[in-house]
Amino acid sequence: MGDWRTITVPIPSSESKNISQFTSEANMSPSSLYSQQILCASLPLAKNVHNFFRAFCTEENVDQSISYLDQELTTLGFPSLYEESKGKEVKRDLNIVAVLNCIHELLVLHRKNLLAQENVESQNLKLGSDMDHLQNCYSKLKEQLETSRREMIGLQERDRQLQGKNRNLHQLLKNEKDENIISSRATQYNHDMKRKEREYNKLKERLHQLVMNKKDKKTAMDILNCVGRADGKRGAWRTGKTEARNEEEMYKILLSDYEQRQKQILLENAELKKVLQQMKKEMISLLTPQKQKPKEKAEDSSGTVLSDVEEDTSELSKENMWELSCETVREQLTNSIRKQWRILKSHVEKLDNQVSRVHLRGFKDEEVISRQDHEQETEKLELEIQQCKEMIQTQQQLLQQQFTACDDDTSSLLQDCYLLEEKERLEEEWALFKEQKKNFDKERRSFTEAAIRLGLERQAFEEDRAGWLKQQFLTMTSFDHKNSENGKPQSAFSESSDQDNLTLHSEPSVCTSKITKSLPASPSTSELFQTVQHISENRKTRNIHQSTKFAW
Amino acid sequence: MNFSEVFKLSNQLSKFSPNGKFLASCVQYRLVVRDVSTLQVLQLYTCLDQIQHLEWSADSLFILCAMYKRGLVQVWSLEQPEWHCKIDEGSAGLVASCWSPDGRHILNTTEFHLRITVWSLCTKSVSYIKYPKACQQGISFTKDGRYMALAERRDCKDFISLFVCSDWQLLRHFDTDTQDLAGIEWAPNGCVLAAWDSCLEYKVLLYSLDGRLLSTYSAYEWSLGIKTIAWSPSSQFLAIGSYDEKVRILNHVTWKMITDFGHTTTINNPKIVVYKETEKSQNLEMENLPFPPTKAAASSLFNTESKYEVVSTPVSLQTSKPVTDRPNPKIGIGILAFSPDNCFLATRNDNIPNAVWIWDIQKLKLFVVLEHLSAVRSFQWDPQQARLAMCTGRSQVYLWSRAGCVAVQVPVEGDFQVLSLCWHLSGESMALLSKDQLCLCYLENEGVK
């Protein structure tokens, strides 16, 4: 940033008191120049101020200037320069103190302002220098960017060139590997070889001529004596006959070889045919049991099987008749085997599909039927299984029974015995039961008779009791009541009839009400009432007994 | 198994006679004929130069010894040891020499394959056949010895000539549609001739005895083609081994491929039995070692014995990467051999050189793989049964049969590296040939482990 120096520059000031200006000098340009300019600007300002002071205030316009200043200061918030007016006078005296204070305040302000200015200037300088620096950096980076961009472009160019070269080399390599090149080179080599060979042949011819012409005596065979032929015969002259014979022999050899091969092939063919026929028979036997099962599609195949069987039997007979080398027969055989094989294959495929369907549980229109069939069949099978199980169980039981028994006869006898025993027991129990029933009836009758007797006896007893009570009552009530009462109860008690019950009820109630109050020790009228009621009840019951039979 | 003593040998030239009674071997310029059962020297002949080629005549009466450097062929008789015959090609030079099937004619191929000279031992006459092809297998005789097929090349084109061996009549002469005919071979039934092109083109042509083209087969183009071909003993199959490490089997009815056998480096199928040769641990008795160590002791120290072990699949076989920028790379099926009962096919894939693959022809599947510690040099089937003998250059001979397999150490003092072997026609014995030694091995025919 530079050195910061604070210099106090004494400014020649006339009227103003120590206005010290703090100037700051920075070793930077152009901001320093700018700041110096400010300073320069500020210096003349002082002079200007000085001049202005002279210009502003003269001896003539003192009052006006004071008033002006006062106005200005008051507007700025300073206290008035004038003294406080006493009683609205036109001329006011200058308050020296206020003036001095104002001046001081102004000085302080000025100083503050200068400080602030200084700070701002220094900041400005800083910012300026920063900006310079940044601008430099920016320009440098820009240059760098430019250079790197140029480099990149250069590299890209090189890359493109190299790739092009690479491609060319690849092409060359391809061409090298290409068969056309090889074939053309091969033909070239062949041509060269042939040329050289021709030269060589020429040399050979030449040499041969030389060798033959020389008639070298060395080229000879030195043999002690001639050896006989291997087969002992004499050598024959080479004539047309011998040539023909040689040809004949050659053809004989060839023919014999072909015949031999043909025999072998015939044998092989016969064996293979046998194998094929066996295969066909086995396939037919595999497929024919299928026609018994009621499957829709199998019916078609079984139909064809049937037809094939018929065909094949006829074919077999045919084949046995004719020679096996007949081509049509061979074709028929192969075709029938192919057919059978196809049927077998389709059958196996069907089975596979069904199995897979069972596993996968897929639905198709065609397959629903068969699945239902399958389910039905499974149900049937399950039923069968259950039945079988039950049968097995029963049989097991029977077996167990048989095992427990020692002999068949005794077991049957025992069985009979058991039955008889049970029978007898049941009969005995039945008899017992009947007897018991009789007894119960008897008892019941006796009980009823007893009950009736008991009822009668009770009735009699009650009557006696009632008579006794009546006597007592009469004796007791003879003091209170007179004949009227006697007559009524007597008539009441003497006449045992249902019709009198009501009157009885009513009279004893009247009586009892009176009696209860007077006679506490004697049997109460409630008892009386009870007995009367009892008697009436007995009569009722007796009547009931008489009316109804005691029936269990 | 019994082993005979060791005899000297040169050039690995040792052959059993076709009747199985004699064994001929060469030592430098001497020809030694022994009796097979007793190994006694019956005859000893001396040739004029170092023998390069040895061949018995078909009736086991004569032996042919060819000396290429001198251009000489000498024929010896077994019945009459004093009989001699010398054929001198002179300035024509000699590159190859072989018997005709009747045992009375010798076919010499002169230098540069200029011509084939047919020398008759009966009539002393000479015939010339011009323009024979210089190729891998240019001459083929039928099994019954009646006909000979010869590959020829005229005017940059390949031809095949069929001759009747009895009177050397040219029966048929036809051109073949090949770029560079590499070989021809008769089928064992003598009715079909297979001709194949060089490895630059995969092509097999099948001709009938009367010269008609029966069929052509080509598996692929541009890559290296056929390396080996083998007929099955019944003539039912033609096995074609190619550089793409596959054997293709053609059938004799349609001459189309019925299957191909691929030779992969890993075997995953658990049904295939894999035998691996492993070294047995040696028990060295330190105290009993003699000092200074004798040759036998020293060799026994370094000559570790090995045996077969059954390895469970998956098995990864040892491969050798061939150099691709050289011609005749060691890739592809190098050796093919059918067993005499037509049941098995033994193959060797040249970039898995330690393994012998045995294929079951009845099921057309891989049957057994035998992996060895060194590269398999050669193998040969027993002429009588399905028993395979192999050698890898170690001092052991390996045998495989359906019953199992065994590795037998050759009990010889010193180092005996079996480089090739050769069965006796009865299947009872075998000649083991090393660089300069010969050993006979007698087998008991029952109970080979």
PDB file of all heavy atoms in Angstrom, chain A residues 53-73:
ATOM      1  N   PHE A  53     -12.962  35.332   4.734  1.00  0.00           N
ATOM      2  CA  PHE A  53     -13.129  36.059   5.985  1.00  0.00           C
ATOM      3  C   PHE A  53     -13.035  37.562   5.728  1.00  0.00           C
ATOM      4  O   PHE A  53     -13.898  38.322   6.163  1.00  0.00           O
ATOM      5  CB  PHE A  53     -12.041  35.671   6.999  1.00  0.00           C
ATOM      6  CG  PHE A  53     -12.417  34.532   7.898  1.00  0.00           C
ATOM      7  CD1 PHE A  53     -13.574  33.772   7.632  1.00  0.00           C
ATOM      8  CD2 PHE A  53     -11.630  34.233   8.983  1.00  0.00           C
ATOM      9  CE1 PHE A  53     -13.900  32.740   8.478  1.00  0.00           C
ATOM     10  CE2 PHE A  53     -11.966  33.180   9.825  1.00  0.00           C
ATOM     11  CZ  PHE A  53     -13.107  32.421   9.582  1.00  0.00           C
ATOM     12  N   ARG A  54     -12.005  37.906   5.016  1.00  0.00           N
ATOM     13  CA  ARG A  54     -11.896  39.346   4.722  1.00  0.00           C
ATOM     14  C   ARG A  54     -13.079  39.798   3.892  1.00  0.00           C
ATOM     15  O   ARG A  54     -13.648  40.850   4.141  1.00  0.00           O
ATOM     16  CB  ARG A  54     -10.611  39.643   3.957  1.00  0.00           C
ATOM     17  CG  ARG A  54      -9.425  39.700   4.889  1.00  0.00           C
ATOM     18  CD  ARG A  54      -8.221  40.277   4.182  1.00  0.00           C
ATOM     19  NE  ARG A  54      -7.149  39.266   4.122  1.00  0.00           N
ATOM     20  CZ  ARG A  54      -6.660  38.849   2.952  1.00  0.00           C
ATOM     21  NH1 ARG A  54      -7.093  39.346   1.798  1.00  0.00           N
ATOM     22  NH2 ARG A  54      -5.697  37.926   2.944  1.00  0.00           N
ATOM     23  N   ALA A  55     -13.448  38.932   2.973  1.00  0.00           N
ATOM     24  CA  ALA A  55     -14.532  39.307   2.079  1.00  0.00           C
ATOM     25  C   ALA A  55     -15.868  39.321   2.822  1.00  0.00           C
ATOM     26  O   ALA A  55     -16.697  40.199   2.592  1.00  0.00           O
ATOM     27  CB  ALA A  55     -14.596  38.344   0.915  1.00  0.00           C
ATOM     28  N   PHE A  56     -16.043  38.335   3.638  1.00  0.00           N
ATOM     29  CA  PHE A  56     -17.323  38.197   4.312  1.00  0.00           C
ATOM     30  C   PHE A  56     -17.583  39.346   5.305  1.00  0.00           C
ATOM     31  O   PHE A  56     -18.612  39.981   5.270  1.00  0.00           O
ATOM     32  CB  PHE A  56     -17.364  36.826   5.023  1.00  0.00           C
ATOM     33  CG  PHE A  56     -18.563  36.586   5.868  1.00  0.00           C
ATOM     34  CD1 PHE A  56     -19.830  36.450   5.277  1.00  0.00           C
ATOM     35  CD2 PHE A  56     -18.450  36.568   7.262  1.00  0.00           C
ATOM     36  CE1 PHE A  56     -20.939  36.259   6.086  1.00  0.00           C
ATOM     37  CE2 PHE A  56     -19.582  36.365   8.033  1.00  0.00           C
ATOM     38  CZ  PHE A  56     -20.839  36.215   7.448  1.00  0.00           C
ATOM     39  N   CYS A  57     -16.636  39.491   6.182  1.00  0.00           N
ATOM     40  CA  CYS A  57     -16.898  40.479   7.258  1.00  0.00           C
ATOM     41  C   CYS A  57     -15.982  41.678   7.137  1.00  0.00           C
ATOM     42  O   CYS A  57     -14.768  41.531   7.143  1.00  0.00           O
ATOM     43  CB  CYS A  57     -16.724  39.783   8.627  1.00  0.00           C
ATOM     44  SG  CYS A  57     -17.113  40.900   9.972  1.00  0.00           S
ATOM     45  N   THR A  58     -16.593  42.799   7.039  1.00  0.00           N
ATOM     46  CA  THR A  58     -15.842  44.060   7.051  1.00  0.00           C
ATOM     47  C   THR A  58     -16.303  44.890   8.221  1.00  0.00           C
ATOM     48  O   THR A  58     -17.247  44.496   8.950  1.00  0.00           O
ATOM     49  CB  THR A  58     -16.059  44.858   5.745  1.00  0.00           C
ATOM     50  OG1 THR A  58     -17.469  45.018   5.558  1.00  0.00           O
ATOM     51  CG2 THR A  58     -15.479  44.096   4.551  1.00  0.00           C
ATOM     52  N   GLU A  59     -15.646  46.045   8.386  1.00  0.00           N
ATOM     53  CA  GLU A  59     -16.056  46.885   9.532  1.00  0.00           C
ATOM     54  C   GLU A  59     -17.459  47.420   9.379  1.00  0.00           C
ATOM     55  O   GLU A  59     -18.121  47.777  10.353  1.00  0.00           O
ATOM     56  CB  GLU A  59     -15.071  48.062   9.694  1.00  0.00           C
ATOM     57  CG  GLU A  59     -13.811  47.661  10.427  1.00  0.00           C
ATOM     58  CD  GLU A  59     -12.570  48.032   9.631  1.00  0.00           C
ATOM     59  OE1 GLU A  59     -12.681  48.908   8.784  1.00  0.00           O
ATOM     60  OE2 GLU A  59     -11.527  47.375   9.848  1.00  0.00           O
ATOM     61  N   GLU A  60     -17.883  47.482   8.128  1.00  0.00           N
ATOM     62  CA  GLU A  60     -19.209  48.070   7.944  1.00  0.00           C
ATOM     63  C   GLU A  60     -20.334  47.138   8.285  1.00  0.00           C
ATOM     64  O   GLU A  60     -21.291  47.510   8.956  1.00  0.00           O
ATOM     65  CB  GLU A  60     -19.414  48.518   6.473  1.00  0.00           C
ATOM     66  CG  GLU A  60     -18.498  49.657   6.026  1.00  0.00           C
ATOM     67  CD  GLU A  60     -17.246  49.150   5.401  1.00  0.00           C
ATOM     68  OE1 GLU A  60     -17.315  48.035   4.747  1.00  0.00           O
ATOM     69  OE2 GLU A  60     -16.206  49.741   5.579  1.00  0.00           O
ATOM     70  N   ASN A  61     -20.128  45.875   7.794  1.00  0.00           N
ATOM     71  CA  ASN A  61     -21.280  44.946   7.951  1.00  0.00           C
ATOM     72  C   ASN A  61     -21.057  43.989   9.101  1.00  0.00           C
ATOM     73  O   ASN A  61     -21.337  42.792   8.985  1.00  0.00           O
ATOM     74  CB  ASN A  61     -21.519  44.197   6.631  1.00  0.00           C
ATOM     75  CG  ASN A  61     -20.306  43.412   6.169  1.00  0.00           C
ATOM     76  OD1 ASN A  61     -19.231  43.567   6.752  1.00  0.00           O
ATOM     77  ND2 ASN A  61     -20.471  42.615   5.139  1.00  0.00           N
ATOM     78  N   VAL A  62     -20.556  44.472  10.201  1.00  0.00           N
ATOM     79  CA  VAL A  62     -20.317  43.572  11.342  1.00  0.00           C
ATOM     80  C   VAL A  62     -21.624  43.028  11.860  1.00  0.00           C
ATOM     81  O   VAL A  62     -21.790  41.810  12.034  1.00  0.00           O
ATOM     82  CB  VAL A  62     -19.555  44.324  12.471  1.00  0.00           C
ATOM     83  CG1 VAL A  62     -19.512  43.499  13.726  1.00  0.00           C
ATOM     84  CG2 VAL A  62     -18.154  44.648  12.016  1.00  0.00           C
ATOM     85  N   ASP A  63     -22.523  43.946  12.111  1.00  0.00           N
ATOM     86  CA  ASP A  63     -23.806  43.491  12.664  1.00  0.00           C
ATOM     87  C   ASP A  63     -24.498  42.516  11.744  1.00  0.00           C
ATOM     88  O   ASP A  63     -25.012  41.460  12.163  1.00  0.00           O
ATOM     89  CB  ASP A  63     -24.738  44.712  12.915  1.00  0.00           C
ATOM     90  CG  ASP A  63     -24.243  45.574  14.092  1.00  0.00           C
ATOM     91  OD1 ASP A  63     -23.493  44.995  14.934  1.00  0.00           O
ATOM     92  OD2 ASP A  63     -24.583  46.734  14.134  1.00  0.00           O
ATOM     93  N   GLN A  64     -24.460  42.852  10.501  1.00  0.00           N
ATOM     94  CA  GLN A  64     -25.128  41.968   9.519  1.00  0.00           C
ATOM     95  C   GLN A  64     -24.451  40.601   9.488  1.00  0.00           C
ATOM     96  O   GLN A  64     -25.124  39.555   9.464  1.00  0.00           O
ATOM     97  CB  GLN A  64     -25.069  42.600   8.108  1.00  0.00           C
ATOM     98  CG  GLN A  64     -26.004  43.786   7.950  1.00  0.00           C
ATOM     99  CD  GLN A  64     -25.418  44.765   6.933  1.00  0.00           C
ATOM    100  OE1 GLN A  64     -24.317  44.607   6.421  1.00  0.00           O
ATOM    101  NE2 GLN A  64     -26.157  45.868   6.736  1.00  0.00           N
ATOM    102  N   SER A  65     -23.124  40.692   9.520  1.00  0.00           N
ATOM    103  CA  SER A  65     -22.408  39.400   9.481  1.00  0.00           C
ATOM    104  C   SER A  65     -22.674  38.615  10.737  1.00  0.00           C
ATOM    105  O   SER A  65     -22.857  37.371  10.691  1.00  0.00           O
ATOM    106  CB  SER A  65     -20.896  39.646   9.291  1.00  0.00           C
ATOM    107  OG  SER A  65     -20.392  40.454  10.338  1.00  0.00           O
ATOM    108  N   ILE A  66     -22.745  39.332  11.865  1.00  0.00           N
ATOM    109  CA  ILE A  66     -23.031  38.618  13.117  1.00  0.00           C
ATOM    110  C   ILE A  66     -24.415  37.997  13.049  1.00  0.00           C
ATOM    111  O   ILE A  66     -24.601  36.811  13.383  1.00  0.00           O
ATOM    112  CB  ILE A  66     -22.931  39.586  14.337  1.00  0.00           C
ATOM    113  CG1 ILE A  66     -21.465  39.927  14.611  1.00  0.00           C
ATOM    114  CG2 ILE A  66     -23.517  38.941  15.595  1.00  0.00           C
ATOM    115  CD1 ILE A  66     -21.291  41.073  15.624  1.00  0.00           C
ATOM    116  N   SER A  67     -25.338  38.804  12.577  1.00  0.00           N
ATOM    117  CA  SER A  67     -26.715  38.259  12.495  1.00  0.00           C
ATOM    118  C   SER A  67     -26.757  37.081  11.526  1.00  0.00           C
ATOM    119  O   SER A  67     -27.379  36.045  11.786  1.00  0.00           O
ATOM    120  CB  SER A  67     -27.678  39.383  12.083  1.00  0.00           C
ATOM    121  OG  SER A  67     -27.380  39.845  10.772  1.00  0.00           O
ATOM    122  N   TYR A  68     -26.059  37.280  10.416  1.00  0.00           N
ATOM    123  CA  TYR A  68     -26.016  36.178   9.431  1.00  0.00           C
ATOM    124  C   TYR A  68     -25.442  34.943  10.086  1.00  0.00           C
ATOM    125  O   TYR A  68     -25.991  33.838   9.950  1.00  0.00           O
ATOM    126  CB  TYR A  68     -25.197  36.605   8.211  1.00  0.00           C
ATOM    127  CG  TYR A  68     -24.975  35.481   7.218  1.00  0.00           C
ATOM    128  CD1 TYR A  68     -26.032  35.055   6.368  1.00  0.00           C
ATOM    129  CD2 TYR A  68     -23.746  34.854   7.138  1.00  0.00           C
ATOM    130  CE1 TYR A  68     -25.820  34.050   5.500  1.00  0.00           C
ATOM    131  CE2 TYR A  68     -23.549  33.826   6.248  1.00  0.00           C
ATOM    132  CZ  TYR A  68     -24.603  33.428   5.416  1.00  0.00           C
ATOM    133  OH  TYR A  68     -24.397  32.382   4.527  1.00  0.00           O
ATOM    134  N   LEU A  69     -24.306  35.093  10.713  1.00  0.00           N
ATOM    135  CA  LEU A  69     -23.648  33.972  11.354  1.00  0.00           C
ATOM    136  C   LEU A  69     -24.561  33.344  12.391  1.00  0.00           C
ATOM    137  O   LEU A  69     -24.659  32.110  12.490  1.00  0.00           O
ATOM    138  CB  LEU A  69     -22.351  34.441  12.018  1.00  0.00           C
ATOM    139  CG  LEU A  69     -21.113  34.577  11.114  1.00  0.00           C
ATOM    140  CD1 LEU A  69     -19.968  35.240  11.879  1.00  0.00           C
ATOM    141  CD2 LEU A  69     -20.675  33.228  10.547  1.00  0.00           C
ATOM    142  N   ASP A  70     -25.206  34.202  13.147  1.00  0.00           N
ATOM    143  CA  ASP A  70     -26.116  33.700  14.156  1.00  0.00           C
ATOM    144  C   ASP A  70     -27.203  32.858  13.528  1.00  0.00           C
ATOM    145  O   ASP A  70     -27.526  31.752  13.995  1.00  0.00           O
ATOM    146  CB  ASP A  70     -26.713  34.902  14.925  1.00  0.00           C
ATOM    147  CG  ASP A  70     -27.635  34.448  16.045  1.00  0.00           C
ATOM    148  OD1 ASP A  70     -27.196  33.543  16.832  1.00  0.00           O
ATOM    149  OD2 ASP A  70     -28.786  34.900  16.110  1.00  0.00           O
ATOM    150  N   GLN A  71     -27.722  33.404  12.467  1.00  0.00           N
ATOM    151  CA  GLN A  71     -28.769  32.626  11.751  1.00  0.00           C
ATOM    152  C   GLN A  71     -28.240  31.270  11.320  1.00  0.00           C
ATOM    153  O   GLN A  71     -28.852  30.226  11.554  1.00  0.00           O
ATOM    154  CB  GLN A  71     -29.244  33.424  10.519  1.00  0.00           C
ATOM    155  CG  GLN A  71     -30.347  34.416  10.796  1.00  0.00           C
ATOM    156  CD  GLN A  71     -30.717  35.169   9.532  1.00  0.00           C
ATOM    157  OE1 GLN A  71     -30.304  34.832   8.422  1.00  0.00           O
ATOM    158  NE2 GLN A  71     -31.485  36.239   9.698  1.00  0.00           N
ATOM    159  N   GLU A  72     -27.091  31.321  10.689  1.00  0.00           N
ATOM    160  CA  GLU A  72     -26.501  30.083  10.175  1.00  0.00           C
ATOM    161  C   GLU A  72     -26.273  29.103  11.300  1.00  0.00           C
ATOM    162  O   GLU A  72     -26.626  27.926  11.207  1.00  0.00           O
ATOM    163  CB  GLU A  72     -25.155  30.381   9.480  1.00  0.00           C
ATOM    164  CG  GLU A  72     -25.280  31.131   8.170  1.00  0.00           C
ATOM    165  CD  GLU A  72     -25.872  30.255   7.078  1.00  0.00           C
ATOM    166  OE1 GLU A  72     -25.641  28.989   7.098  1.00  0.00           O
ATOM    167  OE2 GLU A  72     -26.588  30.789   6.226  1.00  0.00           O
ATOM    168  N   LEU A  73     -25.718  29.603  12.349  1.00  0.00           N
ATOM    169  CA  LEU A  73     -25.369  28.703  13.456  1.00  0.00           C
ATOM    170  C   LEU A  73     -26.608  28.140  14.115  1.00  0.00           C
ATOM    171  O   LEU A  73     -26.644  26.959  14.472  1.00  0.00           O
ATOM    172  CB  LEU A  73     -24.509  29.458  14.490  1.00  0.00           C
ATOM    173  CG  LEU A  73     -23.048  29.684  14.057  1.00  0.00           C
ATOM    174  CD1 LEU A  73     -22.386  30.701  14.988  1.00  0.00           C
ATOM    175  CD2 LEU A  73     -22.253  28.385  14.055  1.00  0.00           C
TER     176      LEU A  73
END
